[in-house]
């Protein structure tokens, strides 16, 4: 079994990006600048956003964190977005999800200038992604492609089973892996909560992407020998033995599934760190595009 080490791989990518930033600086070009908007005080979301800002510092990007209260209205949020859309110093920005219930998420994502949409969530960018045109690929699917690429996991002609049809991970992942691209050309099955006989389907899989958000859902009896497993789940499960009161659990029963796996991502330290590295990559791309 080979561990797909997202922590190490993301550190490698960040080093590459830092060198690129030095190059830009040496050529008197613009330093990439990422902004993040977060609404409310959700602990997990704050942790993620802070990690994104910290990662910017480490590679030499500028960053801005815009914290808005839980009571922020949709109109106020749209106003903040309008300001970032026309601020020439900001190359890319994200609105951390989920948003409070009184705000229409789709309306917010549609308001982001597609050229600054480094999350790749705007319908224009999702459409380009689906057509295999150059665009910002969302950080999580992009990170998974990169991890498979750097570990030379063969995808061409393989049976890939994606579990979970979210807009952020499952759906784009299934589209990308079926495309004619270096990490692609797979025969993809997208499964979800209404899928019948899931186990029969996962037992045929050469590669499984688990992105449904149910801790330890994928068990050893659901996979064949030498499977490659990508675990996107990251659920906080109460654990009084931990100082912070919880531990992070993936969608895969790691101990038993890893025994049958050729490659597998750990949780934490697998897909999670990759998403941050790819967000930085998208921001670098946005900056270079803006500075042509
Ligand atoms: N919430 C969970 N994942 C993401 C992500 O990739 N981007 C944003 N903006 N919010 C998220």
């Amino acid at each position: 079994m080979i561990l797909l080490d997202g922590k190490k791989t993301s550190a490698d990518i960040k080093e590459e990006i830092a060198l690129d930033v030095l190059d830009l600086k040496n050529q008197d070009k613009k330093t990439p600048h990422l902004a993040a908007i977060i609404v409310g005080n959700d602990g997990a979301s704050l942790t993620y956003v802070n990690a994104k800002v910290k990662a910017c510092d480490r590679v030499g990007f500028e960053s801005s964190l815009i914290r808005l209260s839980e009571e922020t209205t949709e109109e106020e949020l749209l106003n903040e977005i309008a300001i970032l859309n026309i601020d020439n110093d900001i190359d890319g920005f994200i609105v951390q999800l989920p948003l409070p219930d009184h705000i229409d998420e789709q309306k917010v994502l549609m308001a982001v200038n597609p050229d600054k949409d480094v999350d790749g969530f705007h319908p224009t960018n999702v459409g380009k992604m689906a057509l295999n045109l150059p665009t910002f690929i969302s950080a999580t699917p992009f990170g998974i492609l990169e991890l498979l690429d750097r570990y030379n996991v063969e995808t061409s002609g393989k049976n890939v089973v994606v579990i979970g049809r979210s807009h952020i991970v499952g759906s784009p992942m299934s589209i990308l892996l079926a495309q004619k691209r270096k990490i692609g050309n797979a025969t993809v099955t997208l499964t979800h909560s209404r899928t019948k006989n899931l186990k029969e389907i996962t037992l045929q899989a050469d590669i499984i992407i688990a992105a449904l958000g149910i801790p330890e859902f994928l068990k050893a009896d659901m996979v064949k020998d030498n499977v490659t497993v990508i675990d996107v789940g990251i659920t906080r499960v109460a654990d009084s033995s931990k100082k912070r009161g919880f531990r992070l659990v993936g969608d895969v029963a790691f101990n038993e599934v890893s025994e049958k796996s050729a490659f597998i991502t750990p949780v934490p330290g697998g897909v999670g760190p990759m998403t941050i590295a790819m967000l930085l990559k998208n921001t670098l791309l946005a900056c270079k595009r803006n500075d042509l």
Side-chain angles (χ1 to χ4, degrees):
M1 181 270 289
I2 294 173
L3 212 54
L4 297 168
D5 187 342
K7 201 169 163 194
K8 182 190 173 293
T9 308
S10 70
D12 293 346
I13 294 169
K14 280 187 245 174
E15 250 176 59
E16 294 160 16
I17 294 173
L19 289 176
D20 259 21
V21 174
L22 276 182
D23 265 356
L24 291 175
K25 286 183 180 166
N26 288 337
Q27 296 171 51
D28 280 330
K29 297 230 170 126
K30 188 180 175 308
T31 300
H33 189 164
L34 173 72
I37 303 178
I38 180 161
V39 184
N41 302 305
D42 177 66
S45 291
L46 277 168
T47 305
Y48 296 143
V49 165
N50 284 327
K52 290 171 185 177
V53 169
K54 213 167 109 192
C56 283
D57 289 344
R58 258 198 261 127
V59 297
F61 285 10
E62 289 179 34
S63 63
S64 301
L65 178 59
I66 298 156
R67 281 198 67 176
L68 303 176
S69 82
E70 185 80 32
E71 289 75 40
T72 302
T73 65
E74 188 175 280
E75 194 187 348
E76 285 166 336
L77 177 56
L78 292 172
N79 243 336
E80 288 290 339
I81 291 171
I83 292 167
L84 295 178
N85 276 344
I86 56 167
D87 182 339
N88 284 333
D89 196 54
I90 303 287
D91 298 294
F93 67 96
I94 64 161
V95 181
Q96 186 65 27
L97 305 178
L99 290 166
D101 288 343
H102 64 276
I103 297 177
D104 180 344
E105 190 173 290
Q106 203 51 44
K107 205 165 160 188
V108 167
L109 298 180
M110 298 260 291
V112 175
N113 175 353
D115 292 330
K116 296 190 177 191
D117 170 37
V118 285
D119 255 337
F121 291 165
H122 189 284
T124 294
N125 288 327
V126 176
K128 286 183 177 175
M129 180 277 296
L131 293 169
N132 204 356
L133 298 171
T135 187
F136 301 114
I137 297 175
S138 300
T140 307
F142 196 9
I144 293 169
L145 293 181
E146 191 74 19
L147 206 49
L148 293 171
D149 188 17
R150 291 192 185 225
Y151 278 87
N152 296 313
V153 177
E154 181 64 76
T155 58
S156 182
K158 300 295 182 188
N159 287 333
V160 173
V161 174
V162 179
I163 312 176
R165 57 181 157 183
S166 73
H167 289 171
I168 293 186
V169 188
S171 294
M173 203 67 252
S174 67
I175 293 169
L176 289 160
L177 283 168
Q179 286 175 346
K180 201 179 273 188
R181 54 166 67 235
K182 187 172 174 218
I183 302 300
N185 296 307
T187 305
V188 182
T189 307
L190 178 58
T191 67
H192 46 74
S193 52
R194 307 290 172 91
T195 297
K196 291 191 165 57
N197 308 324
L198 178 65
K199 188 172 157 183
E200 273 173 34
I201 299 169
T202 54
L203 279 170
Q204 303 296 319
D206 301 303
I207 300 172
I208 299 177
I209 319 268
L212 68 161
I214 299 179
E216 301 190 329
F217 176 84
L218 189 77
K219 303 278 199 281
D221 66 352
M222 298 170 74
V223 307
K224 67 176 183 183
D225 278 331
N226 288 319
V227 66
T228 289
V229 179
I230 306 290
D231 189 350
V232 186
I234 182 161
T235 307
R236 291 180 171 197
V237 172
D239 185 341
S240 56
S241 74
K242 302 272 182 220
K243 211 168 85 188
R244 53 188 183 176
F246 65 85
R247 65 194 154 89
L248 297 173
V249 181
D251 290 348
V252 177
F254 182 88
N255 287 342
E256 52 183 85
V257 173
S258 61
E259 285 182 7
K260 295 176 82 175
S261 302
F263 298 91
I264 186 167
T265 60
V267 174
V271 173
M274 291 299 294
T275 66
I276 295 185
M278 303 323 277
L279 176 66
L280 298 176
K281 235 182 150 128
N282 277 343
T283 306
L284 180 66
L285 181 69
C287 177
K288 286 181 173 172
R289 270 202 210 159
N290 291 341
D291 208 29
L292 287 178

